[in-house]
Amino acid sequence: MSLKIDNTRTKTALLLTAFVTPALLAQQTATLNVDLNRPKSPVSPTLYGLMTEEINYSYDGGLYAELVRNRTFRADWSGILNWFLIENGASSAKVSIDSKQGPSAALSNSAKLEVIKADATSPAGLLNEGYWGIAVRPSTRYSGSLFAKSDAQTTLPLKVALVADQSGQVLATTSVPVAGAAWKEYKFEMQSGNAPASSENHLEITIDRPATLWLQLVSLFPPTYHGAPNGNRIDIMEKLAAMHPSFLRFPGGNYLEGGNIQTRFDWKKMIGPLLDRPTHPTTWSYHSSDGMGLLEFLMWCEDLHMEPVLAVYAGYSLGGQVVKPGPDLDPYVQDALDEIEYVTGGVGTKWGALRARDGHPAPFKLRYVEVGNEDNFDRSKSYDGRYAQFLKAIHAQYPNVSVIATMPVKEVTPDVVDDHYYKREQGMFELATQYDKTDRNGPKIFVGEWATREGTPTPNLGAALGDAAFMTGLERNSDVVIMASYAPLFVNVNPGGMQWSTDLIGFDALTSYGSPAYYAQVMFSSCLGDHTVESTVSGTGDKFFYSVTASANSKVCVKLVNASSTQQAVTITLSGLGSGTHTALLDTLKANSTWATNTISHPDRVVPVRSKLTVKGERVEHLLPAHSIQVLEIDR
Ligand code: AHR
């Protein structure tokens, strides 16, 4: 496991055999016999990855680092959402939506601020509340931009400021000179002072004289991961990096399908300048800024060395709208082919050239395309025909792309089938053997969504035990299960932030934390051999799970899960390890109760503890604590 993980404590140089006292040996000792000389089946290098969609404010108010909420001024009956009028002192102003004035076809309206009375001591303007506040950290640079025009005869200075909610203290500020009656983009920077980090802040944009000002696309970013413009939150990206993910399945999930065809993930409306992205309502009851568009997903992949698993809209939306296979579906198939070309095409292709225009001339590698999402919900039973139509078209143009089906189909043989599981702990224990008897001559399996659903907003230790048990089964069967990704990945823990409970990583505007289930994944993915080996176990209870993988001449990875409330002694024999001494790392995640968990204010209650060990010879007397997950990595 990466030692970069927050709060992972390290112990040093213990002998594994030293764990076992005579009293412990008196209890039932299980036997785990591993034969390293008998490789069994390959382990997929892409076994562990990420699944993501816009749910639980995953991007807006989450990974996507934009601080301004509703930067495009959507309004409902109550007024402009998330924006409020400021009338300081004797100033007077009003704000409305001007549906006739906007800087682009996609953003064809704007906020019209009419300041009737204002001066330097009584400015008027607008306030944005952010996503449950705006995080301001000391000595930090904030980069902003906005589109504006005004009716003022001379240059109109806008004061932009980050302001503390309680004290009213200005934490960072700058002046933006708006000149003229034509739409123009203005970029600005502000630097915070030394006030302590907090999210109880908001953004203010004020003017100190009577004038009418039109605003659109008001944006503000803190420093982002790798300094990318329009980029991602550093703390969350670092948590993902610690999971060593090999792929990213995007953009859904239900978010891909949309409630209807109109509100699907329409990728062509989510590329290029933000000004050309109209934004859209999601299936998860809130609106997406679409700042996280197709290229941003791909750059997220690039940042974390993940390969994209691109899900394309397949003619079925959640509300039940279906596009019939045949000519009706052709435009959607073409859309998918265009999308693949945007991802993989050279700069000489139509869509590859657009990707270059958008700032990324180099094509991305793409090996997997998924057609739709959970099409078993399609009551018209049209998926067989829809999938076959996509498969044939994609294979004809991209013979090396594997096309994933979202359910079993009969009309053609799918390359890969995506299975989803959401269960309680007991259900996941049962699923640990799900793939033991799967036909090895059939399609490969992608477990594109799975989770033990216990704990809210994020999973508890019991859920982590269910997850770990399930993952031992994935590893044992990774010759057929080539990829797996937990879902959902993220949740904004603020009231109203969550639409789906039990999510791997929680955050608010300021910080983020990993659940026990997150740490189970960090541990499992940190030691993944390239093959399984023959092994047998006896004498354990029914809440004991394990897997053993190895890589030739380098390491052995033993994963042990004791989901029972009593400790378990195990004699582990590793035939073929050799009679010398071997250094090893032991990572342990445990708690006294399955209900133990981490929260945004207590992020470190259940975290892995690392020990360095020396294994002497091929036999290890080991004691597995109650309610524990352990990963033992032994150098060969
Ligand atoms: O992960 C949450 C939702 O569960 C996904 O959007 C959907 O694919 C599944 O039903």
Side-chain angles (χ1 to χ4, degrees), residues 125-194:
L126 292 175
L127 176 158
N128 186 272
E129 63 179 337
Y131 290 96
W132 294 274
I134 293 183
V136 179
R137 293 185 166 77
S139 307
T140 302
R141 199 140 192 89
Y142 294 84
S143 309
S145 60
L146 53 84
F147 285 80
K149 63 178 209 154
S150 93
D151 70 352
Q153 296 307 307
T154 54
T155 297
L156 182 66
L158 305 193
K159 182 181 170 193
V160 181
L162 286 165
V163 179
D165 292 344
Q166 304 307 324
S167 64
Q169 186 191 347
V170 172
L171 304 169
T173 187
T174 191
S175 179
V176 178
V178 172
W183 283 106
K184 258 176 66 183
E185 184 178 21
Y186 297 88
K187 297 201 167 167
F188 57 90
E189 302 263 306
M190 336 184 242
Q191 174 87 17
S192 61
N194 56 9

Side-chain angles (χ1 to χ4, degrees), residues 343-359:
V343 178
T344 64
V347 293
T349 63
K350 176 179 170 194
W351 291 100
L354 274 180
R355 187 197 60 244
R357 173 209 68 181
D358 296 342

Side-chain angles (χ1 to χ4, degrees), residues 51 53 55 249 253-255 257 284 373-374 377 420 422 449 487-488 500:
M51 185 274 166
E53 65 177 314
I55 182 175
R249 172 180 177 237
N254 294 349
Y255 178 60
E257 302 161 82
W284 294 107
N373 177 61
E374 294 190 341
F377 285 106
H420 293 180
Y422 292 106
E449 294 180 28
W500 178 286

Side-chain angles (χ1 to χ4, degrees), residues 4-18:
K4 274 190 243 148
I5 306 293
D6 294 349
N7 310 304
T8 300
R9 287 161 269 164
T10 303
K11 291 181 192 166
T12 45
L14 292 174
L15 270 181
L16 206 54
T17 47

Side-chain angles (χ1 to χ4, degrees), residues 266-336:
D266 196 351
W267 70 272
K268 285 178 180 165
K269 295 183 179 158
M270 297 181 214
I271 53 171
L274 298 178
L275 198 64
D276 297 334
R277 303 187 194 185
T279 79
H280 82 289
T282 71
T283 39
W284 294 107
S285 78
Y286 61 96
H287 205 89
S288 167
S289 75
D290 294 348
M292 184 68 84
L294 180 56
L295 186 58
E296 286 77 18
F297 280 109
L298 293 167
M299 294 194 342
W300 174 9
C301 289
E302 194 165 69
D303 270 346
L304 296 186
H305 312 292
M306 306 181 286
E307 66 175 293
V309 175
L310 176 68
V312 297
Y313 180 75
Y316 167 71
S317 292
L318 263 192
Q321 254 184 315
V322 179
V323 184
K324 275 199 309 240
D328 289 357
L329 195 61
D330 280 343
Y332 298 93
V333 174
Q334 188 56 50
D335 237 31

